[in-house]
Amino acid sequence: MHTPVFELKRDEHGRLVCIDGQGQAHVGVNAVRAFPISAPGEGISLVDADGHELVWLPTLAGLAADQAALVLEGLTQREFMPVIERVTHVSSFVTPSLWDVVTDRGPTQLLLKGEENIRRIAEGVLLVSDAHGVQFLIRNPQDMDRDSRRLLDRFL
């Protein structure tokens, strides 16, 4: 496997800087997953501040540990998609409705504007978009407790 030639570091302002194979420094680089849900460990792109791809990484394998850590850190900062573990309460079975949920990042509430805001994106994986634009992931509804599945089934 060919590993592209580049160097990645943080500048004094905490921004990612990518120095490409020609020695040109690109400040404000973002790491972006091509398939964040179906293949999160594959296909990672480093893009400049304008969204132009600088480096394509099929996987993080082959990168030096410090470079891989910077890429993972960049991905973590960019991605915010809490995973719903339980649905504890819904205000109404008619939308819009307010949901009390427990996520992998703690309890919160989300406002579901319509049933169309719950989408199946892969086998068994649901994406719930709340009225404020935050997206929540449900990896496998069958793994949720019975009460959560019962509440969720009312909207599917």
Side-chain angles (χ1 to χ4, degrees):
M1 180 182 311
H2 171 70
T3 302
V5 177
F6 70 100
E7 181 185 345
L8 195 62
K9 62 182 182 180
R10 288 218 178 263
D11 67 7
E12 63 274 2
H13 301 292
R15 299 175 296 191
L16 279 177
V17 177
C18 178
I19 301 171
D20 63 21
Q22 289 77 39
Q24 183 178 358
H26 303 272
V27 179
V29 171
N30 289 308
V32 180
R33 294 183 205 269
F35 309 104
I37 295 169
S38 60
E42 299 173 15
I44 298 168
S45 181
L46 300 178
V47 297
D48 66 13
D50 296 324
H52 300 113
E53 185 175 284
L54 301 171
V55 177
W56 172 255
L57 301 167
T59 68
L60 293 181
L63 284 182
D66 61 330
Q67 300 289 291
L70 282 173
V71 172
L72 288 173
E73 188 179 290
L75 288 168
T76 301
Q77 288 177 347
R78 186 177 190 282
E79 298 171 343
F80 178 75
M81 188 177 297
V83 177
I84 295 175
E85 297 172 342
R86 289 189 351 239
V87 180
T88 57
H89 179 261
V90 293
S91 64
S92 169
F93 292 114
V94 178
T95 56
S97 66
L98 191 61
W99 292 28
D100 293 324
V101 297
V102 176
T103 72
D104 61 340
R105 298 176 190 229
T108 190
Q109 290 185 323
L110 68 93
L111 178 62
L112 185 71
K113 286 175 57 177
E115 291 153 354
E116 67 276 6
N117 294 111
I118 302 175
R119 294 181 296 149
R120 292 183 194 277
I121 53 174
E123 189 172 327
V125 179
L126 300 174
L127 188 65
V128 180
S129 302
D130 86 339
H132 305 292
V134 177
Q135 296 191 334
F136 296 85
L137 192 65
I138 299 176
R139 292 209 184 275
N140 189 352
Q142 299 307 316
D143 291 344
M144 299 174 87
D145 64 276
R146 191 174 123 203
D147 291 338
S148 296
R149 286 193 318 263
R150 182 179 56 80
L151 292 171
L152 184 60
D153 285 344
R154 298 288 299 259
F155 293 91
L156 296 177

